[in-house]
Amino acid sequence: MCAKNVEKDNRQEAITYESLLQGNKEWVAATLNEDPTFFDRLAAGQTPPVLWIGCSDSRVPANQITNTLPGDIFVHRNIANVVTHTDMNLLSVLDYSVNVLKVKHVIVCGHYGCGGVNAALGDKQVGLIDNWLRNIKDVYRIHDRELDTIKDQTRKFDRLVELNAIEGAANIMSTSIVQNAWAAGQELSVHAWVYSLKTGLISDMKVSASSAADISPVYKMKANK
């Protein structure tokens, strides 16, 4: 085992129930030393300009990879950053973010090397999660002509990650929540991003919408009067 792997294993073995609580105390002390009013401001309320819909993967923490602070990003995470119109958890988060917090940006961010997307590429049963991953298989079916032409499996994997984020953003755009906000003149944009674990960099998929004019006509709905 190489030295880097040993160091990583030792660090993770040192993380215990007690060490998490101690780490919290140390973080609070360091934060107050730098900014004595930090927690007073947090306790006063939140007005994050961004809703982040990302993967539950422990290696993709929204605040760290965007160099933002607590209170800057409202976060929803699930396995493989899946967005469906039947997920009441996600829709509740979206509704609260758009209609109460008045976020200006909704970002669906996938990541290369996503275990959920990789599992969806295969045919082995994993468990209950197979039903969740079916949504990613649907993304493959929609884009099968493109994906089937990609012979390199790594590139195919990466492309499905990208398409999953793109389709997720498209699903956000087509919700009544977002369309009603646009109809009311609310400033709101939806984007698709992908994060690289290897480089730490985020790639903008160049798929964004800031009005109903940017989405497919079949998904457009008349606003309630």
Side-chain angles (χ1 to χ4, degrees):
M1 185 179 293
C2 70
K4 287 186 178 180
N5 289 336
V6 171
E7 181 180 350
K8 177 182 177 181
D9 290 343
N10 290 339
R11 178 177 58 79
Q12 292 184 341
E13 287 178 2
I15 298 175
T16 64
Y17 180 81
E18 293 77 13
S19 73
L20 294 175
L21 292 171
Q22 180 58 35
N24 168 252
K25 293 177 182 178
E26 294 171 358
W27 173 70
V28 169
T31 301
L32 288 174
N33 184 59
E34 184 175 331
D35 182 359
T37 66
F38 182 80
F39 293 105
D40 291 332
R41 294 199 309 276
L42 279 187
Q46 61 171 332
T47 56
V50 174
L51 166 62
W52 176 282
I53 299 172
C55 181
S56 299
D57 194 299
S58 61
R59 301 166 294 176
V60 194
N63 284 112
Q64 279 100 324
I65 67 175
T66 57
N67 196 28
T68 52
L69 296 172
D72 291 341
I73 299 179
F74 200 63
V75 177
H76 175 83
R77 298 170 72 177
N78 63 48
I79 293 175
N81 47 274
V82 168
V83 177
T84 69
H85 291 110
T86 55
D87 185 347
M88 295 305 296
N89 186 350
L90 183 147
L91 291 176
S92 297
V93 170
L94 180 64
D95 183 71
Y96 183 75
S97 300
V98 172
N99 294 316
V100 178
L101 297 178
K102 303 295 183 182
V103 299
K104 291 181 171 57
H105 299 277
V106 178
I107 297 168
V108 179
C109 186
H111 69 95
Y112 298 120
C114 179
V117 174
N118 191 40
L121 272 172
D123 58 4
K124 292 183 179 179
Q125 289 194 33
V126 180
L128 179 63
I129 193 176
D130 294 328
N131 301 281
W132 183 255
L133 300 179
R134 163 67 185 274
N135 297 290
I136 304 174
K137 289 180 180 291
D138 288 341
V139 173
Y140 192 113
R141 175 178 53 79
I142 294 170
H143 298 277
D144 59 357
R145 288 188 179 182
E146 175 188 351
L147 290 166
D148 286 345
T149 63
I150 303 175
K151 302 307 178 183
D152 181 82
Q153 289 302 306
T154 299
R155 179 55 194 145
K156 179 180 289 189
F157 180 13
D158 288 348
R159 185 54 179 159
L160 185 55
V161 165
E162 295 169 354
L163 292 170
N164 185 50
I166 290 169
E167 290 296 332
N171 286 342
I172 291 292
M173 298 168 193
S174 63
T175 61
S176 58
I177 298 167
V178 169
Q179 292 197 49
N180 286 337
W182 283 336
Q186 187 170 331
E187 181 184 350
L188 180 64
S189 298
V190 182
H191 317 274
W193 288 359
V194 173
Y195 172 73
S196 172
L197 295 169
K198 292 182 178 180
T199 67
L201 295 175
I202 293 171
S203 296
D204 184 348
M205 294 292 100
K206 306 298 181 183
V207 176
S208 297
S210 55
S211 75
D214 297 325
I215 67 175
S216 173
V218 72
Y219 293 115
K220 293 180 181 178
M221 293 177 282
K222 293 181 179 179
N224 292 327
K225 295 182 179 179

